[in-house]
Amino acid sequence: MSQVLTVHLSTELYDCIMERAASANRSIEAEALDMLTATAASTSGKESTQQRFRQLANSWHKAVAHLSSSSKRESHPAYQAIIAMGPPVVPYLLSDLNAHGRHWFTALTAITGDNPVPEKDAGVIPRMIDAWLHWGRAKGHQW
């Protein structure tokens, strides 16, 4: 007996999985399943969401801090694992954005389906940060 699983993804997350699958010459289903399995395995046990986020964020930062390419930074497995963690990591993303100014914009958009950054401010990092922090406060997030 076979089972069917339907998953609704944001356009950004779907596109990212598609890109990773294509670059690895794999099916999107296989790539998505691997990401889901890795996330489930990594968050099982006693490790908290916050601990897992910090571990992944530090790993990601160490691996990509020297890269100028947004697509390379955002396609890193740790960044994708953070996205796969979903809404529970939004306060941690906002906190890190506030404290360190790391570029979590794509992750926040992928997870929330929102993008509060006005088109005129796209690429202006301080304004993008301000827009997301304002969005977070308006949504009741605390960090």
Side-chain angles (χ1 to χ4, degrees):
M1 176 178 206
S2 65
Q3 301 292 319
V4 175
L5 173 66
T6 303
V7 179
H8 297 276
L9 305 171
S10 69
T11 302
E12 291 82 6
L13 181 55
Y14 178 81
D15 290 345
C16 190
I17 294 170
M18 286 276 295
E19 185 178 305
R20 286 187 59 178
S23 69
N25 199 25
R26 302 180 65 203
S27 72
I28 187 169
E29 295 84 2
E31 190 66 32
L33 185 57
D34 281 355
M35 286 177 66
L36 180 62
T37 302
T39 300
S42 69
T43 58
S44 64
K46 296 183 180 184
E47 185 177 50
S48 75
T49 301
Q50 185 176 23
Q51 289 170 325
R52 182 65 181 151
F53 168 77
R54 286 184 179 158
Q55 177 189 33
L56 289 167
N58 289 335
S59 173
W60 170 74
H61 183 71
K62 287 176 187 173
V64 304
H66 65 284
L67 298 177
S68 61
S69 168
S70 294
S71 63
K72 287 183 181 179
R73 289 192 312 260
E74 294 163 1
S75 66
H76 188 274
Y79 195 93
Q80 293 304 308
I82 288 169
I83 291 172
M85 291 174 74
V89 298
V90 170
Y92 308 127
L93 290 167
L94 294 170
S95 176
D96 193 86
L97 186 63
N98 186 49
H100 305 291
R102 294 184 193 155
H103 297 198
W104 296 117
F105 313 116
T106 299
L108 285 162
T109 298
I111 293 168
T112 67
D114 285 338
N115 184 0
V117 179
E119 193 172 317
K120 67 180 177 64
D121 291 342
V124 183
I125 303 304
R127 289 185 183 171
M128 294 172 72
I129 290 170
D130 287 344
W132 273 107
L133 295 178
H134 178 77
W135 173 93
R137 287 183 198 100
K139 296 289 185 179
H141 291 288
Q142 297 178 351
W143 56 87

